[in-house]
Amino acid sequence: MKIAMLGSGSGGNASYVEENGYGILIDVGFSCKKIEERLASIGKSAEKIKALLITHEHTDHISGAGILARKYNIPIYISPESLEVCKQKLGKIAEDQIHCIQKDFFLNENIYVKPFDVMHDAVRTLGFHIETASQKKIAISTDIGYITNLVREAFQEVDAAILESNYDYNMLMNGPYPWDLKARVKGRNGHLSNNDAAKFIREMYTNKLQKIFLAHVSKDSNHPNIIHETMELEFEKYSRKPNYEISSQNTATKLFEIK
């Protein structure tokens, strides 16, 4: 099983997962051209994408989904609530290309998807727990305001994880945003702070966890150095440190293979 971030932030989000040559995108928040370029940068092609999984309707998660789906005839998996409010953004999609997520489902005989609800200020926001027939597990949640028990369950005993680490509290509160936006970001339906992300990683961390991608890092209210400091402080008493990588808005990460 392989995983990479094609990019993450307020300007666009997309994650790549592959199992035995079967490619999946979680969110398509970049243009079709940019998705093609980011895939090429990790040695992959859009022709190999077999499914688009959408977490929610915000533009930075779906802006390229309709065009990519039409160009390469890729099915879209999305909650009915999200579909209802983003039909116009997606454009005309053939009915047989749309799969409304109602419960756990198989993408093929090797890939099982368990969607879970997360707290965020969209009509409905999903995270995804993905398991393979080879018993590899990953969990993904890039926009999340609060760690619920559903989220804790989804991230248990995973081999890799994508988790939001959006803002540093002091930078947010002293930054340029108006108060109502600051309140939205730090609210339970907003985004996850560095401290909350690091604490959750420590709580769910096991020897099984091989890789963590920290996602949706704010350009105005965060900095990689602060994320590193926060993680170091959270794990200062532990001899084994997590293998984590801070995702970028502008470039894809390298493709990581889960052993």
Side-chain angles (χ1 to χ4, degrees), residues 166-187 193-195 218 220-222 226:
N166 179 256
Y167 68 94
D168 170 70
Y169 181 81
N170 289 328
M171 281 191 70
L172 174 68
M173 298 310 290
N174 295 310
Y177 294 166
W179 171 250
D180 59 343
L181 181 54
K182 292 178 181 180
R184 171 188 171 257
V185 169
K186 70 184 184 67
S193 71
N194 294 340
N195 287 337
S218 172
D220 298 313
S221 303
N222 210 348
I226 297 178

Side-chain angles (χ1 to χ4, degrees), residues 7 19 27 36 51 65 78 81 88 91 102 121 124 127 138 159 162 164 175 182 184 193-194 203 212 227 248:
E19 173 67 6
D27 288 332
E36 292 168 339
I78 187 171
E81 294 87 353
Q88 188 173 358
Q102 305 282 8
D121 58 354
R124 186 181 182 188
I138 64 173
D159 298 278
I162 297 174
E164 177 172 60
K182 292 178 181 180
R184 171 188 171 257
S193 71
N194 294 340
E203 290 173 350
I212 304 160
I227 295 177
S248 166

